[in-house]
Every structure is written in structure tokens, then in C-alpha cells.
Amino acid sequence: MRRRWTETLHPIFVAATGILPVVALAFIPVLLFMREIYPAVADGSSLPPFKAHWFAPWFFVLRTVIYFAIWIVLAEWLRRSWRNDEAMVRAASIGSIVWTLIVSFAGIDWMESLEAEFHSSIYGLIYLSFVLTNGTAFVIGAGLLSPRTIGPSRGYSGLLLSVLLLWCYLHTMQYIVIWSGNIPKEVTWYLARSENGWQFVLAALSFGQFVFPFCALLSARVRSNPHWLLALCGLTLAMRWLESAILILPAIQELSVAMTGAMLIAAGLFLGLVFWWAFEAVLARGAEERASIAAIWPQTRVEGGARSAGQGK
């Protein structure tokens, strides 16, 4: 999309996707201990033949490597296509389709597979909305914190509201379909998240991720205020912790609340610092590249217009 807001946010988008190799390295412990995390990977003898082959350890690792490889290639392709209109159209058209499919598969592999007996046909899209909401809030928040001017807040508020509406729609749709179908293997997934204190976490997520931001963004003053927008982006990122907990932790048996909380805080601080350091490094490197690209940009535009005029004749 060629708009002013894409021009100003592009360096932050590039830096955010530039840390994918670091994220891939951070995923290695999950692969090393996948037998302890995923019951289906540890023992697939009780599963149907297809699921038993799908959850084979070597195949699980192979799919994870493929996912990260494709994302890294797509990010580099989009970065190299910037300021070349024809290349941007090709990269965005193909990339959006591939990205949607691969993210959906990754969500099913990494999160839904914690409970191999449960399946929802919309789960991949729910994970996609998780990633999209998280990324959008981070990029807008980082743009507001940067010294550069990224434009009026009203447009970014609308962008944030749109992804929040998508997130709410997908979760609501899954709930309605599963509850109306009344299939025990699917309904018990919600029952496990409606007891033992999880009902309060679910209520906090519903209020903090949709009710409050939606009502706040209805106000024109809130939409036009960068401080309000920054606060809503921070709230959205915090709600990802609650959503992760609801999606993942009820599937793991015999968890110690105190130990789990301490480990999550420690891991969050460590990974947060590592990812932010990588983000700043990629952002600084991108500033040098943009300075050289800006010098040849007018000539590229003129050549592109000449080619288009020639094709039209």
C-alpha cells in the first residue's frame, strides 16, 4: 500500500521483520524439549494414522524450520522490493497469500497441538489475528516512541481498531460455532478455560482487548491523541500475555502457579531485551541503506513511468 503512513512506518516494519533470525534461534529450546511440551509428539501411538505421522518429531522440526525460512525470505523480498512499484505488487500479492497460509499452519502446530484431541477449523486464523494484532500494536507504538514524525494519530487509531475488530470477530465466531455444535471434544476446550481462575483471566482479556479499546477509540479526541494511542498499543501488547496464557497454559498439567509466573517473567524480560536489541540494530542498519536509496529514488520513478507509458502505447 502506497500511502504516507506506509512511507513513515516502513523502516519500523522492516526492522521488526528483520529480527526473525533471532526469533528462530530463540525457538530452539521448544524443539529440544518438544516431547515434554507436546504429548502427541511424545507418544503418537494413540492417535489416528495421519496425526501420528504429522506429529513425528523429525517432521515437526522440519515444518518449523520451513516456516521460519519462508518468513525470512518473504521479509527480505519485501525489503528489496521497496520503492519499486512493480516489484512491490508482486511481492505483496504472493507474499500475503503465502504468509497467511504459513502463519495458520504454524498456529496449529505450535499452539493447537498442545491438545491433539481438539481441533477448530478457524484456529489458524485466530493465531493469525494474534500475530497481526501484536505486530500492528508494536509497530505503531515504536513509531510513536521514535524521534521521527509518523503522521497524525487518527489514521493509526483506525488501523489498530480494524485489527482489534478482526481479532474479536474470529474469537467470537469460534465460540459460537463450537458451543452451538456441542461436540464434547471441542466444548471441553472452553470448559477448561472457564474454571480454576481462568474465567477471570478470560474476562480481563475480553475487557482489556476489546471492550475498553473499542469504546475508547469511538472518541475522536482519543483517536487524535498520540498519548492515548500509545497507551492502547501498550495495553494491546500486554493483553497478548493474557491471551497466550489462556491458549497455552490450561493444556499443561500440574503447573506450579508461583514457579510458572516467575519463569514467565524471567523469560519475558530476557527475550524482550534480546529482541529489542536486535530491533534497534536492524533499524540503525536500515537508516544507512535508506540514505543511499533515497538518492536514486527520483530516477527510478521516472524510468518506471516511462516503461508504463511505453506499454500503454
Side-chain angles (χ1 to χ4, degrees):
M1 295 174 62
R2 298 305 306 275
R3 296 290 185 271
R4 185 174 62 177
W5 66 269
T6 59
E7 289 278 350
T8 53
L9 281 185
H10 179 260
I12 301 173
F13 272 115
V14 170
T17 56
I19 71 170
L20 277 169
V22 180
V23 179
L25 293 176
F27 203 87
I28 291 177
V30 177
L31 299 180
L32 293 176
F33 296 98
M34 59 184 175
R35 293 182 182 274
E36 286 75 19
I37 299 173
Y38 299 98
V41 175
D43 183 17
S45 58
S46 60
L47 298 174
F50 176 79
K51 282 190 174 182
H53 288 89
W54 183 262
F55 289 119
W58 69 269
F59 194 29
F60 187 90
V61 174
L62 177 62
R63 291 197 305 274
T64 299
V65 172
I66 291 174
Y67 296 156
F68 278 109
I70 291 176
W71 290 332
I72 292 171
V73 169
L74 284 178
E76 182 65 16
W77 186 15
L78 289 166
R79 186 186 70 83
R80 291 178 180 271
S81 301
W82 183 245
R83 297 194 184 280
N84 183 333
D85 292 344
E86 296 176 2
M88 286 173 62
V89 170
R90 288 194 298 269
S93 301
I94 298 173
S96 59
I97 298 173
V98 174
W99 180 83
T100 300
L101 293 174
I102 297 301
V103 168
S104 299
F105 276 114
I108 294 171
D109 272 350
W110 297 343
M111 298 180 73
E112 188 187 47
S113 298
L114 290 167
E115 298 166 278
E117 69 281 358
F118 169 76
H119 177 66
S120 168
S121 58
I122 204 173
Y123 196 97
L125 292 178
I126 286 179
Y127 183 73
L128 186 146
S129 71
F130 178 100
V131 174
L132 188 61
T133 304
N134 189 56
T136 303
F138 174 79
V139 169
I140 295 176
L144 291 170
L145 291 173
S146 69
R148 300 182 60 197
T149 301
I150 64 170
S153 302
R154 182 183 297 272
Y156 300 113
S157 298
L159 179 63
L160 180 63
L161 179 60
S162 66
V163 296
L164 293 181
L165 289 173
L166 174 65
W167 174 87
C168 180
Y169 168 77
L170 292 173
H171 272 282
T172 304
M173 185 59 63
Q174 176 179 262
Y175 179 83
I176 292 174
V177 171
I178 289 179
W179 204 261
S180 61
N182 200 26
I183 302 174
K185 287 186 178 181
E186 296 180 352
V187 173
T188 52
W189 189 87
Y190 276 103
L191 293 178
R193 289 157 176 80
S194 303
E195 55 188 11
N196 299 325
W198 287 112
Q199 63 270 31
F200 303 112
V201 180
L202 190 61
L205 176 64
S206 302
F207 180 81
Q209 187 57 99
F210 179 71
V211 176
F212 176 74
F214 177 76
C215 294
L217 289 172
L218 291 179
S219 169
R221 189 172 71 173
V222 170
R223 292 197 304 271
S224 303
N225 191 319
H227 299 291
W228 263 106
L229 180 57
L230 181 61
L232 291 175
C233 289
L235 177 63
T236 300
L237 294 175
M239 289 298 104
R240 300 282 66 72
W241 281 63
L242 290 186
E243 186 177 8
S244 299
I246 290 174
L247 293 176
I248 295 173
L249 296 183
I252 304 176
Q253 304 298 323
E254 300 179 358
L255 282 179
S256 169
V257 177
M259 180 63 69
T260 302
M263 292 177 67
L264 287 177
I265 292 173
L269 290 174
F270 172 75
L271 290 176
L273 289 174
V274 170
F275 292 161
W276 185 260
W277 170 80
F279 171 77
E280 287 191 329
V282 177
L283 191 63
R285 185 187 66 185
E288 300 176 358
E289 294 181 357
R290 288 191 302 274
S292 60
I293 292 175
I296 64 172
W297 170 235
Q299 179 182 354
T300 304
R301 291 287 291 179
V302 171
E303 292 176 353
R307 286 198 305 270
S308 300
Q311 291 172 358
K313 292 178 182 179

